[in-house]
Each structure stands twice: as C-alpha cells, then as structure tokens.
C-alpha cells in the first residue's frame, strides 16, 4: 500500500480501528479492504472563459494531487477525515445530502451519490483525504477530490462504469449538490491525462485528444499573484452574458449554434449589429477557439515558437478584449516575455488576479526568477511560486 503520510495514516487507524495492512479474514468480516485512489489537479493552457459556448480546452494534469482512502464500516455511518485540515465530518447514508457546514465533505458525498443512484447496495464507509493541490487558484482541487472519491468507490465497490459515464454522472451530481454546473473538462482531464501529455478536451462530445509534450527541456512555473479578488462573479457573469448575446445575434436565434461555426471575419463583418463591448468579448472567444486548434498542430510538430506566439496572443485577448486581467498579472507576463528562454506565459484561472503560468527552458529558470524578484517591491504582494510537471490522471494506488 502506498504510504498516505504518517499523520494521515495514524488518524485513519484511530478513526477506523484498523492498520493499513488488512488482517487475515478482514475482507470477509468488514466487506473489503482499504482502497486508495489519487486524482491530479490541472491547468488550462488555453480555452478558459469559452466553456459556456465553446467547451474546448488545451489542458494538462499537474503533479499535485488528492488521495482518498475508503474502507467499510459495520454500520450505516459515513465518516470523513481531512488530514491536511485536521477536520472530521459525519453523515449517514439515509441523510446523504448537501450541508453547508460539511464544506469539503460535500464533494465526497456527491461521489457517493453516483453509486447510490446506480442502485449499488451501500453500507457505512470511512474516508480519509490528503492532498497538495494549491487552493483557490483554479487548479481544480475540488474536481480532483470528486474524481479521486469516485475512482476509489468504483474500485472499492467493484462497479463497472466507464470513465465517460463517470464524467456524466459526476457533472449531474455536482449540479444537484451545489446548485451550479461543473465543467466536464475538469473531470475529463482528471480521468484521461497521461504523463507529459497535453490534452485537447471537447466538452460538447467528451472527446479527448492527447498530444505528447515537446517541452522535455523546460519547466512549467505557476506564479500566484496573491492579488485579492472581491466581487468578480458579477463581472464574469456580465462577460458570459455578452458572449451569449453575440452568439444569439450571429446565429439569428438558432438554439444549437456554437461559436465554432464562426471565424473572426464573421465578427468583423457584423460590427454594425454588435455593440462594441459585445464585439470585443466574442472576438476573443472566436480567436481562442482557433488558437486551441492551431496550438494542437504546433505541439504535434514541436513548433515551440509558434506555440509561444499563440499563448502570448491568448493573454493579449484576455487583457484587451475579454478584459479580465489586471496590472499585476500583465506585469508578470511582460517580464516573462522579455526573458530569453521563456516559451510562453499567460494568465490562468478566473482572472482579475490569480495566477500566470510560464514555460521556461531549464537553462533560463534562474534568469526568469531573477526578473520577477521585483514583484513584491512594486505591488506589495508576496507571490507563491510552484514548479509543476505534466502528470498522469486518476488511478488506484493502493488496495
């Protein structure tokens, strides 16, 4: 069994009354052994803010993950322990519903709901959780928790359900529990990713295209600006509404229309019909969809210079057309662009702060870090910097 950390293991043993190694006869007595599953966080390199009307992403899993351990109880109780937080939550199978005070445990309950809906006989279970995905910076930590829980339960309950079906059911359970739609792309990346590969994820068909990374001599550096973000949901909702309005005008009300049918020239030719703000927002979306397709071609033929241009142009679109960047983020990207050996930099996440990712040749990492040293002095925020690798998707790592 993979070690899940000394604190995590000790708390797990105290909670369940069992050691990590099952005893003889334990499977028959308790209905199974411990199953541990792991799911990664992710980065969207291109495609964010197109999801409500395009659903096309260039993404990858990262080497930050969530581990979920599950074992059986003799009663119908559900016990949850988060090792990183030192917190416990409780529920029962008869009361399997969202509770605000259960916070992180609601994501595990959403995964349990999938198997209850499938009619799988369930008894009480213990769950222990540990992870190292950076929080609140759009690395899909909550989706990773849902995926790890679902994958652990699929193995623990010995249920045959495909990844594709799991994505659909995870999306439905998330909507039921949290009252808002989840991005299927996050689940797809979490389930389908492979080490050192980029993924082009199509939410409309749930198709995933895998492309080997040509950046073997580079590092991926995530820089968290630590800029406070307040009230951004209303701003993002305004932009989504602008984009939907543009699509309605361009498609003349056709319900099944998608921005993938239109080119930038269509937007330019419709300038008289589109208010300026709506035109800018929709132009970014159309250009971004095109960039994702072109980026896939660049990655496939190891055209690093072409890929770099697309990434920088994407940031320009987010800054000038979609208008969700900020001075701190723009400064980071500009400093990166001015550094020899940087092969792309862009904001990632919700915007108005948050993070940038930068792709840097190994021999240029020191120079890049030196050039961003002034950030805290200029802006007053101490950044958090993470070096990441492209990682594999979810898997069972212990039984």
């Amino acid at each position: 069994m993979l070690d899940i950390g000394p604190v995590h293991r000790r708390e797990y043993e105290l909670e369940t009354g069992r050691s990590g190694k099952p005893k003889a006869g334990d499977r028959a007595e308790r209905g199974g052994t411990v199953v541990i599953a792991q799911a990664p966080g992710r980065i969207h390199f291109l495609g964010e803010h197109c999801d409500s009307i395009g659903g096309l992403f260039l993404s990858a899993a990262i080497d930050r993950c969530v581990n979920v351990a599950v074992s059986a109880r003799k009663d119908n109780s559900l016990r949850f322990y988060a090792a990183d937080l030192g917190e416990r939550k409780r529920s029962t199978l008869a009361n399997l519903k969202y509770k605000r005070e259960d916070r992180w445990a609601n994501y595990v309950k959403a995964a349990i709901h999938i198997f209850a809906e499938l009619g799988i006989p369930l008894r009480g279970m213990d769950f222990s959780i540990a992870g190292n995905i950076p929080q609140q910076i759009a690395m899909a930590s909550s989706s990773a928790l849902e995926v790890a829980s679902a994958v652990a339960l699929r193995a623990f309950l010995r249920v045959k359900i495909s990844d594709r079906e799991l994505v659909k059911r995870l999306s439905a359970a998330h909507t039921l529990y949290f009252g808002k739609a989840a991005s299927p792309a996050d689940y797809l990346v979490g389930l389908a990713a492979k080490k050192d590969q980029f993924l082009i994820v199509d939410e409309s068909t749930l198709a995933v295209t895998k492309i080997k990374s040509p950046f073997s001599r580079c590092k991926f550096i995530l820089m968290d600006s630590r800029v406070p973000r307040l009230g951004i949901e209303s701003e993002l909702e305004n932009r989504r509404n602008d984009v939907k309005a543009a699509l309605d005008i361009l498609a003349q009300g056709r319900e099944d229309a998608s921005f993938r049918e239109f080119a930038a020239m269509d937007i330019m030719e419709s300038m008289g019909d589109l208010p300026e703000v709506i035109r800018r927002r929709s132009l970014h979306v159309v250009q971004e969809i095109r960039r994702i397709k072109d980026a896939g071609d660049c990655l496939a033929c190891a055209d690093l210079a072409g890929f770099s241009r697309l990434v920088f142009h994407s940031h320009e679109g987010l800054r000038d057309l979609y208008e969700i960047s900020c001075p701190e983020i723009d400064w980071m990207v500009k400093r990166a662009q001015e550094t020899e050996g940087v092969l792309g930099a862009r904001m990632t996440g919700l915007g108005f702060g948050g993070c940038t990712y930068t792709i840097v040749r190994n021999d240029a990492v020191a120079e890049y870090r030196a050039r961003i040293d002034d950030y805290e002095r200029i802006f007053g925020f101490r950044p958090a910097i993470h070096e990441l690798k492209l990682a594999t998707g979810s898997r069972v790592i212990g039984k």
Side-chain angles (χ1 to χ4, degrees):
M1 175 182 291
L2 181 73
D3 192 3
I4 50 179
V7 174
H8 187 195
R9 181 172 297 284
R10 179 57 180 155
E11 291 289 350
Y12 178 79
E13 292 169 2
L14 290 173
E15 185 72 22
T16 63
R18 50 186 301 179
S19 65
K21 186 175 181 179
K23 300 176 183 178
D26 186 58
R27 176 180 294 273
E29 179 185 352
R30 302 188 62 95
T33 186
V34 181
V35 171
I36 308 172
Q38 183 179 91
R42 65 95 185 99
I43 288 182
H44 289 319
F45 287 88
L46 296 171
E48 286 169 311
H49 306 285
C50 301
D51 55 319
S52 62
I53 37 69
L56 195 65
F57 300 84
L58 178 69
S59 311
I62 58 173
D63 60 339
R64 301 291 190 273
C65 63
V66 173
N67 291 349
V68 174
V70 57
S71 68
R73 297 178 59 85
K74 291 183 179 181
D75 57 21
N76 287 324
S77 296
L78 298 171
R79 304 287 181 90
F80 310 94
Y81 174 67
D84 307 306
L85 302 175
E87 291 183 1
R88 291 181 175 83
K89 303 293 181 182
R90 295 186 180 191
S91 186
T92 64
L93 289 169
N95 195 30
L96 188 62
K97 61 183 180 181
Y98 173 89
K99 289 185 179 179
R100 184 175 181 180
E101 61 270 23
D102 284 348
R103 298 170 43 240
W104 49 269
N106 287 306
Y107 296 104
V108 185
K109 289 193 286 185
I112 299 170
H113 174 84
I114 292 172
F115 298 91
E117 284 288 291
L118 286 169
I120 306 300
L122 299 177
R123 293 188 63 187
M125 290 174 283
D126 292 303
F127 293 86
S128 279
I129 301 156
N132 61 358
I133 302 175
Q135 302 291 300
Q136 304 299 319
I137 56 173
M139 296 292 104
S141 58
S142 59
S143 298
L145 177 52
E146 291 175 303
V147 169
S149 300
V151 170
L153 283 165
R154 180 170 63 179
F156 181 74
L157 298 169
R158 299 179 182 179
V159 177
K160 292 184 178 180
I161 177 173
S162 69
D163 286 352
R164 184 184 182 89
E165 183 65 20
L166 203 58
V167 168
K168 294 178 180 179
R169 290 185 176 273
L170 278 169
S171 298
H174 185 97
T175 301
L176 176 67
Y177 268 70
F178 299 97
K180 58 182 179 181
S183 172
D186 291 343
Y187 301 135
L188 285 164
V189 173
L191 288 162
K194 296 296 183 183
K195 184 180 179 181
D196 296 326
Q197 290 187 349
F198 287 88
L199 307 177
I200 294 181
V201 180
D202 188 338
E203 284 191 335
S204 65
T205 63
L206 301 185
V208 176
T209 302
K210 300 172 185 177
I211 307 172
K212 183 174 176 57
S213 170
F215 296 108
S216 59
R217 299 182 180 179
C218 298
K219 294 189 182 301
F220 297 87
I221 299 180
L222 184 76
M223 184 167 173
D224 181 0
S225 68
R226 297 293 178 90
V227 173
R229 295 187 288 186
L230 301 173
I232 67 171
E233 277 302 322
S234 61
E235 289 292 334
L236 291 172
E237 185 63 24
N238 288 339
R239 282 155 179 75
R240 287 190 286 265
N241 289 337
D242 287 341
V243 169
K244 289 176 182 176
L247 185 57
D248 286 341
I249 294 171
L250 291 168
Q252 299 179 346
R254 184 160 49 84
E255 292 184 359
D256 60 345
S258 166
F259 264 106
R260 299 188 200 184
E261 302 171 26
F262 301 97
M265 186 59 66
D266 297 315
I267 306 295
M268 303 303 291
E269 291 176 352
S270 300
M271 286 182 61
D273 300 322
L274 297 175
E276 175 59 21
V277 170
I278 291 179
R279 184 191 69 83
R280 291 202 307 271
R281 307 283 189 257
S282 54
L283 183 58
H284 168 70
V285 170
V286 169
Q287 290 177 340
E288 187 77 349
I289 292 171
R290 181 70 256 176
R291 276 190 288 264
I292 292 168
K293 296 175 181 178
D294 291 343
D297 293 338
C298 289
L299 291 170
C301 65
D303 180 2
L304 305 189
F307 183 83
S308 177
R309 286 192 296 272
L310 292 167
V311 168
F312 283 122
H313 287 326
S314 178
H315 181 77
E316 291 167 3
L318 291 167
R319 180 191 67 200
D320 301 333
L321 299 176
Y322 212 71
E323 297 180 293
I324 58 169
S325 190
C326 64
E328 294 87 351
I329 292 292
D330 293 338
W331 184 91
M332 289 180 184
V333 173
K334 187 172 186 297
R335 277 296 173 101
Q337 194 168 14
E338 293 169 348
T339 305
E340 186 175 352
V342 166
L343 301 176
R346 173 190 180 270
M347 65 162 286
T348 185
L350 297 176
F352 303 101
C355 300
T356 64
Y357 70 79
T358 305
I359 305 173
V360 194
R361 284 202 321 258
N362 292 337
D363 59 3
V365 170
E367 174 65 17
Y368 167 72
R369 283 182 171 269
R371 290 189 64 81
I372 61 176
D373 273 348
D374 288 337
Y375 176 81
E376 183 177 3
R377 178 182 61 79
I378 295 171
F379 295 105
F381 304 115
R382 180 182 292 274
I385 301 174
H386 309 274
E387 288 193 11
L388 306 173
K389 296 179 181 179
L390 306 191
T392 194
S394 60
R395 56 202 174 108
V396 174
I397 58 174
K399 284 187 179 182

